Amino acid sequence: MKACVLKSPAPIDSRPLEFGEVKTPLPGEDELLVRVTACAICRTDLHVVEGDLPVRRSPVIPGHQIVGEVVALGAKVVSDDRAEGSFNIGQRVGVAWLHRTDGVCRFCVSGRENLCEGPDFTGWTRDGGFAEYVVAPAAFVYSLPQNFKDLQAAPLLCAGIIGYRCLRLTGIEQKEWPGARLGIYGFGAAGHVVIQLARARGADVYVCTRDRERHQSLASELGAKWVGNAMSPPPVKLDAAIIFAPAGELVPVALQALEKGGVLVLGGIHMSPIPSSSFLPRQRAFPFARMYSLFHLSKLTRR
Ligand SMILES: [Zn+2]
Ligand SMILES: [Zn+2]
């Protein structure tokens, strides 16, 4: 099959992805073979390609927002329309970043498998979707409804999942939150999905992004209450904020923008170092800020 292969990470300007012929993978007994029809590009792909994330498989095929059709089933995959978790040849499916978990660690057994101690990731520790075919465990493959085009569905498989998870962690998810003030730091793919969900739920959204031309105007178009530079404080204190930009220097900035009891969610897979901060005086003023990280950053970068 044809694929874009990363042999060793390098700056993207030096074109480290090589397009060429590789062996088509065979599905393991609990896996599906999927013919890729679309694969979106994520900032994390760039982190893999440029080596911000350590090499975990080499060579590797990046890409983890995959839409395709099932073309072969592993021996133990159930093919029965009536059975939950079954798949059929020709079925349209999606494959996302979380490729497989160990299923036994304390995070998996408590319903938090995104924090698994022994995970595999599509396009990083396993080959991904910048290719004609990909294999993935059936238990981690999504059946996709027909009312999306492939190109519309693909970004939902990372930006959509991450964005929705972050929005849930902020607590701003019920209709009882009209007028809640949500900050979004970094306005790429996930940010532009989240603003639409948050606005539909009645929240006011404050977008901080350094990209003046494209991201700031898209944020305004999508109904942001205020749009500004990432380092300038929003005009009101925020009930919650999400940092999507991989920029650790935004953490103290966003914490200072929070209202009492506010929640800050870190949505990135990779983040530059978080600067130390003499935060105590403000910490006293906002004593109940909570901070969540969607992934265990230190563990991910260490492994
Ligand atoms: Zn991604
Ligand atoms: Zn686990």
Side-chain angles (χ1 to χ4, degrees):
M1 67 172 181
K2 292 195 168 50
C4 288
V5 179
L6 178 72
K7 288 187 177 151
S8 65
I12 196 71
D13 295 343
S14 66
R15 298 175 166 263
L17 281 178
E18 287 177 27
F19 181 69
E21 199 68 37
V22 298
K23 220 174 140 197
T24 304
L26 290 171
E29 58 183 21
D30 66 343
E31 292 180 329
L32 306 174
L33 178 64
V34 175
R35 187 179 66 80
V36 179
T37 52
C39 184
I41 297 173
C42 172
R43 183 69 176 83
T44 303
D45 293 314
L46 194 55
H47 288 313
V48 170
V49 168
E50 296 202 309
D52 295 323
L53 291 177
V55 174
R56 293 277 305 277
R57 175 184 177 85
S58 183
V60 67
I61 301 170
H64 58 268
Q65 303 182 84
I66 305 163
V67 178
E69 92 177 296
V70 177
V71 291
L73 308 172
K76 287 196 177 160
V77 177
V78 180
S79 176
D80 177 351
D81 283 338
R82 294 157 301 178
E84 198 183 324
S86 77
F87 287 94
N88 297 303
I89 301 293
Q91 188 171 343
R92 195 164 78 120
V93 294
V95 180
W97 168 246
L98 191 62
H99 190 84
R100 185 195 286 275
T101 63
D102 60 15
V104 296
C105 73
R106 58 191 291 264
F107 296 101
C108 283
V109 298
S110 59
R112 297 177 293 163
E113 65 182 5
N114 60 305
L115 303 174
C116 177
E117 297 277 13
D120 268 316
F121 296 103
T122 310
W124 183 31
T125 71
R126 290 286 180 266
D127 282 335
F130 294 169
E132 285 183 286
Y133 296 91
V134 67
V135 291
F140 289 84
V141 171
Y142 300 86
S143 177
L144 296 179
Q146 291 303 326
N147 53 339
F148 292 106
K149 294 191 174 111
D150 291 351
L151 288 179
Q152 292 173 324
L156 297 178
L157 288 158
C158 185
I161 290 172
I162 300 268
Y164 184 65
R165 173 78 175 150
C166 288
L167 188 62
R168 284 190 60 183
L169 285 174
T170 65
I172 299 176
E173 53 176 324
Q174 281 91 26
K175 284 277 182 202
E176 300 89 70
W177 273 82
R181 296 157 172 179
L182 173 69
I184 297 178
Y185 289 80
F187 200 70
H192 106 284
V193 173
V194 165
I195 190 174
Q196 296 175 65
L197 289 168
R199 294 270 302 122
R201 287 167 183 185
D204 291 335
V205 181
Y206 298 78
V207 174
C208 305
T209 172
R210 64 182 178 183
D211 186 330
R212 234 166 237 290
E213 281 173 26
R214 289 171 309 136
H215 290 172
Q216 291 194 357
S217 62
L218 180 60
S220 303
E221 239 172 72
L222 292 173
K225 185 103 175 170
W226 174 90
V227 184
N229 185 286
M231 286 299 180
S232 55
V236 294
K237 287 292 179 188
L238 305 170
D239 296 307
I242 305 169
I243 300 180
F244 289 119
E249 65 268 25
L250 291 175
V251 171
V253 175
L255 281 170
Q256 288 184 30
L258 287 183
E259 178 60 285
K260 284 182 282 187
V263 174
L264 175 63
V265 179
L266 310 183
I269 303 278
H270 171 81
M271 186 173 254
S272 58
I274 299 171
S276 64
S277 150
S278 55
F279 203 61
L280 217 57
R282 281 192 177 270
Q283 193 82 34
R284 231 174 261 137
F286 309 113
F288 299 117
R290 286 175 292 162
M291 192 158 84
Y292 294 99
S293 171
L294 200 59
F295 293 91
H296 194 310
L297 292 170
S298 62
K299 181 162 291 287
L300 272 183
T301 45
R302 195 172 68 235
R303 292 172 69 98

